[in-house]
Amino acid sequence: MKNVDYDIIVVGAGPAGSTAARYAAAGGAKVLMLEKDRDVGYPVRCGEAVSHEGVAQFIKPDPKWIASSVSKFRLIAPNGSSVMPKLDGGGYVLERRIFDYELAKLAANEGVEVITKAYVYDLLREDGKIVGVKTLIKDQKVDIRSKIVIAADGVESRVGKWAGMDTTCHIRDMESCAQMTLSGIEVDPDVLDFYFGDEVSPGGYLWVFPKGNDTANVGLGLSVEEAKKKSAIKFLHEFVDRKFPKAAILTHIAGGVPCAKTNPEIVKENVILVGDAAHQVNPVSGGGIISGMIGGMIGGQVAAESILNGNVAHLREYDKRWHKRLGWRHDIFYNIRNAIGSFDDKTYNNICDSALKLPEDKRTLGGIFRAALWNQPSMILDVAKVFLQ
Amino acid sequence: MPQPHLMIHIVPGKCDYCGCCVGVCPEDAIELMESKIALIEDRCTNCRKCVWACPWEVIEFHREGVGHLPKHTPQMLNEAVKF
C-alpha cells in the first residue's frame, strides 16, 4: 500500500463503481477503487440481461462476456398462454464475472488503482470533515485519505449512511430475489422468458434468461411485503421442481434489488452515491447494470470536475445531471411499478389475450403496453408522461 | 432505541452474503463482509425487516429471545487424524 493521498476513492468495483472510477480518472483525477471481495465480478448477484444499446455506450461487445444474444422476449401469463414480441434492438445475457472484470480493466487503463479484499468499515474524519475511508485490508486496519468518496457499495450500502444520507430501502420497494443457474435443460437461446402471476411471483416476475441452449439463469424477485408471507427461495424451488425437475444447479444465489425512486439524497458534502447504493435501478424491470453505469459515469465525471476546479460544492451538479438523464424516468417508472404490482392473475391473462389478438407485427412491447393500459386505465397518465417527454 | 431483549438471530452458515437485509435495515445494525455477517446487537430494535427481506430465510425471529441459541463458532469436524 503506497503512502499517498488520492483525489477520489471509489468503494465497490461493480459496474457502477468501475465506471465511476474510469470516468473520474479519465477526467484527470487520481483514483483508488476498493472491493471488499477477493475477486472483481464474483460472486454474481444478477439475472445478467441487458440491452445491446445500453452496453454499447460503455464497452465494445465481446463474445467472451456474452452468454447469449437474444432478440425476443416471451411473456407467460398465469393461465399458461404466452405472447412473444420482438425486443427492440436486442439484448445480451452476460457472463457478469467476466464483464465486471473487463469494466475494471477499462478503469485500470485510465490509471485507476485497485485493491481487492479491502473492506471499508467507516469514513475517516478530521475536525468533523470526511477525509477518506477506514479499511480492513487482508485483516489489517488501514486509513486512506481522499478529497472525495464515491460510494458504489451496492444494495448493502452503508457509506451513504455514515455520511448522513438515509439510504434505507423501504420494504415495499425492496425486491427479495433468488436465482439458480440451471444446466442440462432445454431453452431457446434467443428468448428471454418472463412468467407472471401469484403462483410464481406475486407482484413481481420470474425470469428464465438463457445462457446458451442448455443453461439458464432462473430467478425471481418479489416485494418484501409479499416475501413476508412466503420467501423467494420457496417460490423458486417450487417453480424449478415443477418446470426443470432434472436440472443440475450450477449456482444458487440470493439478492436484493432496490426498485425505488432514486435515493432522495445522492450527494452530501464530499460523498456521492452511484448504482444500487443510490437506488439507480429501473423500478419496473429491476435492471440496474446500465442505469448504474450511467450514474457511475456522471458521478465520476462530476467528481473529476470538482477536483480539477478545487470546488467540492460542484458535486451537487451530479444530482442535477443524473435526474436530467435518467432519474426523472425512474420516478415515472416507479409509479408504473406500483400499478403493475397490483395486477392480479386475471389482469395478466387479459393482457396476454388482448396481445394475442394483435396482428403479429404489432406485437411489440408498445403494443402489449397499450393492451395492458386497456386493463389498467389509471396507468395511462403515468405512461403518457414517459413517452411524451 | 435498541431493545435489551434481542429476538433476531442470523444463521451465518446459511447466509449467501447478498446484502438484502442490510439494504432494509433502518438502524445500520448489520455488518456484512465478504463471507461474514454479524448483527450489531446494541443497535437492533427487533423490527424484523431483515427477517422478511432475506431471500433464503437465513434470519430468524424468536419472540422468546435468542439467549438460549447456540453461538455459531467454527468447529473442527474431523479430529481423527493427529500429526
Side-chain angles (χ1 to χ4, degrees):
Chain A
M1 182 66 231
K2 288 175 236 161
N3 185 23
V4 285
D5 287 0
Y6 293 90
D7 291 323
I8 298 168
I9 290 174
V10 179
V11 183
S18 279
T19 306
R22 169 184 169 187
Y23 283 92
K30 186 170 175 53
V31 183
L32 172 69
M33 179 161 68
L34 302 170
E35 168 55 48
K36 77 172 173 14
D37 291 343
R38 190 189 67 182
D39 297 281
V40 172
Y42 183 83
V44 178
R45 305 212 171 279
C46 183
E48 304 186 286
V50 290
S51 67
H52 284 182
E53 191 195 356
V55 173
Q57 301 170 65
F58 295 100
I59 183 168
K60 197 168 151 265
D62 185 334
K64 72 182 168 200
W65 47 255
I66 298 169
S68 268
S69 243
V70 292
S71 70
K72 298 187 197 97
F73 62 101
R74 179 164 38 210
L75 308 174
I76 299 134
N79 64 7
S81 60
S82 67
V83 57
M84 188 156 65
K86 277 210 176 67
L87 197 57
D88 294 335
Y92 299 124
V93 181
L94 301 172
E95 287 295 352
R96 274 287 300 275
R97 61 182 79 192
I98 303 168
F99 180 72
D100 285 25
Y101 225 78
E102 291 301 313
L103 294 179
K105 277 162 72 175
L106 289 174
N109 288 343
E110 295 290 350
V112 173
E113 288 178 48
V114 182
I115 306 175
T116 63
K117 222 170 166 60
Y119 175 66
V120 172
Y121 67 90
D122 205 351
L123 288 165
L124 183 66
R125 287 173 196 271
E126 243 171 49
D127 305 324
K129 288 209 163 72
I130 295 158
V131 295
V133 297
K134 296 181 170 205
T135 71
L136 193 65
I137 300 176
K138 298 171 186 79
D139 263 354
Q140 291 275 321
K141 284 188 174 173
V142 186
D143 292 348
I144 311 176
R145 302 172 66 91
S146 71
K147 296 176 186 130
I148 291 171
V149 175
I150 300 182
D153 51 338
V155 64
E156 68 268 43
S157 177
R158 296 173 72 203
V159 173
K161 287 183 183 171
W162 301 331
M165 292 178 265
D166 185 4
T167 57
T168 308
C169 185
H170 196 286
I171 60 166
R172 78 175 162 250
D173 298 335
M174 182 67 90
E175 291 275 317
S176 180
C177 306
Q179 176 179 279
M180 295 176 189
T181 303
L182 301 182
S183 201
I185 58 174
E186 268 182 50
V187 282
D188 186 337
D190 188 36
V191 182
L192 300 175
D193 275 347
F194 297 87
Y195 291 79
F196 296 90
D198 287 343
E199 195 183 13
V200 290
S201 174
Y205 66 85
L206 181 147
W207 61 85
V208 178
F209 293 165
K211 301 182 92 171
N213 55 15
D214 59 359
T215 304
N217 287 338
V218 180
L220 64 89
L222 68 167
S223 136
V224 172
E225 288 287 5
E226 286 293 336
K228 263 184 197 179
K229 296 172 230 161
K230 184 167 155 186
S231 69
I233 191 70
K234 281 210 175 85
F235 277 106
L236 184 59
H237 273 302
E238 284 176 9
F239 180 83
V240 169
D241 288 350
R242 196 166 63 237
K243 193 92 180 166
F244 303 109
K246 291 182 180 155
I249 301 167
L250 303 188
T251 65
H252 203 240
I253 58 169
V257 181
C259 292
K261 291 184 182 181
T262 308
N263 203 59
E265 266 188 305
I266 55 174
V267 181
K268 182 108 179 180
E269 296 168 42
N270 54 346
V271 178
I272 67 170
L273 311 176
V274 299
D276 281 11
H279 302 171
Q280 286 170 334
V281 174
N282 176 332
V284 172
S285 67
I289 302 173
I290 304 302
S291 53
M293 289 170 75
I294 291 171
M297 176 184 70
I298 300 170
Q301 287 167 337
V302 172
E305 290 164 16
S306 305
I307 293 294
L308 254 52
N309 59 30
N311 178 17
V312 166
H314 176 68
L315 286 177
R316 292 265 148 228
E317 188 65 23
Y318 164 54
D319 187 66
K320 283 187 209 148
R321 287 188 206 169
W322 161 258
H323 280 280
K324 198 171 168 205
R325 176 80 190 267
L326 263 189
W328 70 272
R329 285 175 75 106
H330 285 191
D331 287 355
I332 295 162
F333 286 168
Y334 178 75
N335 295 337
I336 296 173
R337 167 194 150 87
N338 289 341
I340 293 172
S342 65
F343 283 7
D344 56 11
D345 282 3
K346 205 172 140 225
T347 311
Y348 281 118
N349 292 338
N350 287 343
I351 291 169
C352 194
D353 288 348
S354 350
L356 284 170
K357 282 178 197 141
L358 296 169
E360 209 150 329
D361 61 323
K362 293 259 168 67
R363 285 182 205 165
T364 58
L365 190 56
I368 292 171
F369 221 77
R370 282 187 286 278
L373 291 177
W374 191 250
N375 286 277
Q376 195 76 15
S378 64
M379 280 171 70
I380 291 175
L381 204 62
D382 286 329
V383 176
K385 281 185 212 152
V386 177
F387 292 107
L388 290 177
Q389 199 81 21
Chain B
M1 274 295 289
Q3 302 195 7
H5 190 54
L6 191 68
M7 301 174 204
I8 304 295
H9 178 65
I10 303 177
V11 186
K14 216 174 154 185
C15 181
D16 193 40
Y17 315 105
C18 77
C20 190
C21 56
V22 183
V24 297
C25 177
E27 308 297 334
D28 192 23
I30 303 171
E31 177 99 53
L32 176 74
M33 294 167 69
E34 183 177 26
S35 52
K36 280 184 201 159
I37 185 162
L39 197 60
I40 305 168
E41 297 186 0
D42 57 0
R43 289 189 194 166
C44 179
T45 62
N46 298 318
C47 78
R48 287 202 273 176
K49 287 181 177 142
C50 56
V51 178
W52 298 323
C54 178
W56 274 14
E57 304 178 5
V58 172
I59 312 181
E60 300 169 350
F61 178 73
H62 296 266
R63 191 172 294 282
E64 73 283 8
V66 299
H68 66 289
L69 296 167
K71 289 277 178 201
H72 287 265
T73 46
Q75 283 180 348
M76 302 289 284
L77 292 178
N78 186 334
E79 293 176 86
V81 181
K82 290 203 167 71
F83 294 99

